[in-house]
């Protein structure tokens, strides 16, 4: 029909090729608009990525001595991922530092001091991930600082019994806590809680560092400027690589204490 011929005919002054190019350009533009709308509707990042970003900012602030910012960033990380066990640990570590500093200042001034909630943060970390050995040590040290030797001993004993039975450090620390209120001449080998048993166990596990009499040989590598620079550079590269893997989907973040893929942040 004449109408069909008119539709198939090229627009006056424009070739068929040019007309097709214009149509393709219009289609591309409309697709770009739709893609832009889809991106606006999607969240910019996942809660896990937000938590990790806040955590890294907190670590950097802590290294720079800015405890106030570090605490805020770790609290933001916890708010983004409430089961992020390591964020609780890092926040507790800063609160423990503040608690120790305040205790020393107040003791020199002869004034009573109020403890921070470091122990609360460490207990949160343990509740989320009961295999986190560092949190046990940190909580035990906090309790020792508060003169709660029984509580510290229970934590060290739990490490040796359940968390890491081959931890020489835990046996050694348990022995020293139990020896605090005992005279060295009152050792009783028949007593299962005698500190000597734990010192001997630590020495059997790591004889190069621990001795049966409770002494410890610390092997310290000199902290040279070159070593500090190398360690800082390596740590930065590890953080950048980890973040890139998370953002590109090559690495997943699982949450301790939960099943499946939507599980508090643990690094794989």
């Amino acid at each position: 029909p004449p109408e069909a011929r008119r539709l198939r005919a090229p627009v006056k002054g424009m070739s068929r090729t040019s007309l097709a190019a214009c149509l393709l350009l219009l289609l591309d533009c409309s697709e770009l608009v739709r893609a832009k709308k889809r991106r606006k509707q999607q969240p910019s990042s996942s809660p896990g990525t937000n938590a990790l970003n806040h955590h890294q900012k907190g670590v950097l602030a802590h290294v720079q001595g800015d405890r106030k910012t570090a605490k805020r960033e770790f609290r933001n990380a916890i708010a983004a991922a409430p089961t992020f066990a390591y964020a609780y640990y890092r926040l507790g570590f800063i609160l423990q530092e503040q608690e120790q500093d305040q205790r020393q200042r107040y003791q020199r001034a002869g004034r009573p001091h109020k403890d921070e909630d470091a122990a609360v943060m460490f207990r949160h970390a343990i509740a989320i991930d009961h295999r986190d050995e560092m949190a046990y040590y940190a909580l035990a040290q906090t309790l020792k600082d508060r003169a709660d030797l029984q509580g510290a001993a229970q934590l060290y004993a739990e490490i040796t019994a359940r968390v890491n039975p081959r931890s020489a450090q835990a046996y050694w620390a348990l022995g020293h806590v139990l020896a605090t209120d005992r005279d060295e001449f009152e050792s009783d080998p028949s007593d299962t809680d005698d500190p000597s048993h734990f010192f001997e166990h630590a020495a059997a596990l790591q004889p190069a560092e621990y001795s049966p009499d409770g002494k410890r040989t610390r092997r310290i590598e000199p902290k040279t400027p070159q070593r500090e620079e190398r360690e800082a550079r390596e740590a930065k590269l590890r953080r950048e690589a980890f973040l890139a893997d998370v953002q590109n989907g090559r690495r997943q973040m699982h949450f301790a204490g939960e099943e499946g893929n939507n599980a508090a942040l643990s690094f794989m």
Side-chain angles (χ1 to χ4, degrees):
E3 292 81 3
R5 285 197 298 272
R6 282 197 298 272
L7 288 172
R8 290 197 297 267
V11 178
K12 187 176 180 180
M14 181 179 292
S15 66
R16 291 177 181 272
T17 304
S18 300
L19 181 60
C22 289
L23 290 173
L24 288 173
L25 181 60
L26 289 172
L27 289 172
D28 287 344
C29 290
S30 62
E31 179 58 32
L32 286 173
V33 171
R34 286 194 294 269
K36 188 175 181 180
K37 289 182 178 179
R38 287 196 298 268
R39 284 196 297 271
K40 285 184 178 180
Q41 294 171 354
Q42 294 174 350
S44 59
S45 58
S46 67
T49 303
N50 281 335
L52 190 60
N53 288 335
H54 284 300
H55 173 266
Q56 297 299 343
K57 291 178 182 178
V59 171
L60 181 60
H62 190 202
V63 170
Q64 295 174 341
D66 186 355
R67 289 177 177 170
K68 183 177 180 180
T69 299
K71 287 194 297 183
R72 183 181 68 246
E73 292 297 338
F74 289 134
R75 292 189 191 278
N76 288 338
I78 292 170
T83 51
F84 189 175
Y86 196 54
Y88 285 101
Y89 169 79
R90 294 303 300 248
L91 177 57
F93 191 80
I94 296 176
L95 295 175
Q96 183 188 47
E97 287 182 339
Q98 290 184 327
E99 188 175 306
Q100 292 171 341
D101 292 345
Q102 290 178 1
R103 183 179 295 108
Q104 292 176 358
R105 290 198 304 269
Y106 281 45
Q107 284 178 348
R108 287 194 296 266
R111 296 163 52 195
H113 73 282
K114 179 181 178 181
D115 291 329
E116 297 279 354
D117 53 354
V120 175
M121 295 299 115
F122 293 138
R123 292 188 192 280
H124 273 303
I126 292 172
I128 294 168
D129 185 2
H130 60 270
R131 298 165 300 179
D132 187 355
E133 190 173 346
M134 293 187 301
Y136 280 90
Y137 284 117
L139 178 56
Q141 183 60 52
T142 300
L143 297 182
K144 282 175 61 180
D145 292 341
R146 298 178 183 181
D148 183 359
L149 299 181
Q150 182 178 0
Q154 289 175 349
L155 287 164
Y156 291 133
E158 190 167 354
I159 294 174
T160 61
R162 186 174 57 84
V163 181
N164 183 7
R166 295 193 58 79
S167 173
Q169 181 180 351
Y171 283 104
W172 177 81
L174 177 56
H176 270 280
V177 169
L178 295 175
T180 301
D181 296 329
R182 298 193 184 200
D183 190 287
E184 61 179 327
F185 299 106
E186 296 178 356
S187 178
D188 181 6
S190 62
D191 182 2
T192 56
D193 288 333
D194 190 85
S196 62
H197 298 308
F198 302 102
F199 293 146
E200 290 169 358
H201 205 135
L205 289 170
Q206 290 188 18
E209 188 167 352
Y210 301 96
S211 60
D213 61 359
K215 294 180 181 178
R216 181 180 184 183
T217 303
R218 295 183 180 271
R219 293 165 292 180
I220 302 176
E221 180 182 350
K223 196 76 169 179
T224 62
Q226 293 79 7
R227 178 190 167 195
E228 291 181 351
E229 183 180 353
R230 184 189 75 243
E231 290 177 348
R233 184 170 59 252
E234 292 173 349
K236 181 181 179 182
L237 290 174
R238 286 195 300 271
R239 289 194 299 268
E240 291 175 348
F242 182 83
L243 280 172
D245 286 347
V246 170
Q247 293 167 354
N248 294 331
R250 292 193 297 268
R251 184 181 294 238
Q252 296 180 340
M253 294 182 293
H254 293 291
F255 293 85
E258 297 181 15
E259 299 295 333
N261 291 332
N262 297 324
L265 222 64
S266 61
F267 305 130
M268 297 168 46

